[in-house]
Amino acid sequence: MPHHLMNLRHVPDDEAEEIRALFDAHDVRFYETPPSRWGISMGGFWVHDTEEAERARALLQDYQHQRLESQREAYEARRLSGEIGGIWHMFRHKPVRTLAACLAILVMTGLSLLPFIRIG
């Protein structure tokens, strides 16, 4: 019976490539199903053997822990260098886009609440 190891929906290409390389390096016999464009099928990495699934899950757990740490470090480095920030950072660097987004949020909120305001 097939064992689903990991869902590939919303997985970046570089992460999927790293997982393929990890499985190849450790001789995990896996197969892959691609996610559908419309979100109907999730796609993922699969194996047939139960023992292989346990080994692959252990490898994935270690990999995902390492990836989490490296992504946190990269985020923190970008934040400290000023590349990313909060709403004030966005407003300073892209004021028109930020104002347009805020205006769109206000319009959508107003249109959503309009029927309830008219009832009262």
Side-chain angles (χ1 to χ4, degrees):
M1 181 172 163
H3 297 274
H4 187 247
L5 298 174
M6 181 179 175
N7 184 349
L8 284 178
R9 188 179 301 154
H10 307 298
V11 172
D13 291 336
D14 67 321
E15 183 176 0
E17 285 296 324
E18 289 173 1
I19 292 170
R20 286 182 199 104
L22 175 73
F23 285 162
D24 288 339
H26 288 88
D27 296 323
V28 175
R29 295 180 318 271
F30 73 98
Y31 64 97
E32 180 180 348
T33 56
S36 72
R37 181 172 293 155
W38 299 279
I40 296 171
S41 66
M42 62 184 166
F45 293 114
W46 303 77
V47 295
H48 283 292
D49 187 15
T50 303
E51 294 173 7
E52 193 82 5
E54 291 173 7
R55 190 166 66 95
R57 284 190 178 108
L59 288 170
L60 270 175
Q61 185 176 8
D62 291 341
Y63 166 77
Q64 288 175 340
H65 179 72
Q66 291 171 359
R67 176 138 176 125
L68 174 68
E69 292 302 318
S70 68
Q71 292 298 311
R72 279 186 180 165
E73 290 170 3
Y75 172 79
E76 196 62 30
R78 287 193 317 261
R79 189 181 67 78
L80 291 175
S81 70
E83 291 178 38
I84 56 175
I87 191 160
W88 298 117
H89 180 268
M90 287 292 296
F91 186 73
R92 280 184 286 153
H93 293 293
K94 298 179 181 178
V96 176
R97 179 178 169 187
T98 306
L99 285 174
C102 291
L103 182 63
I105 291 170
L106 288 174
V107 167
M108 287 187 273
T109 303
L111 289 174
S112 299
L113 295 176
L114 190 60
F116 301 106
I117 293 172
R118 287 193 178 176
I119 290 175

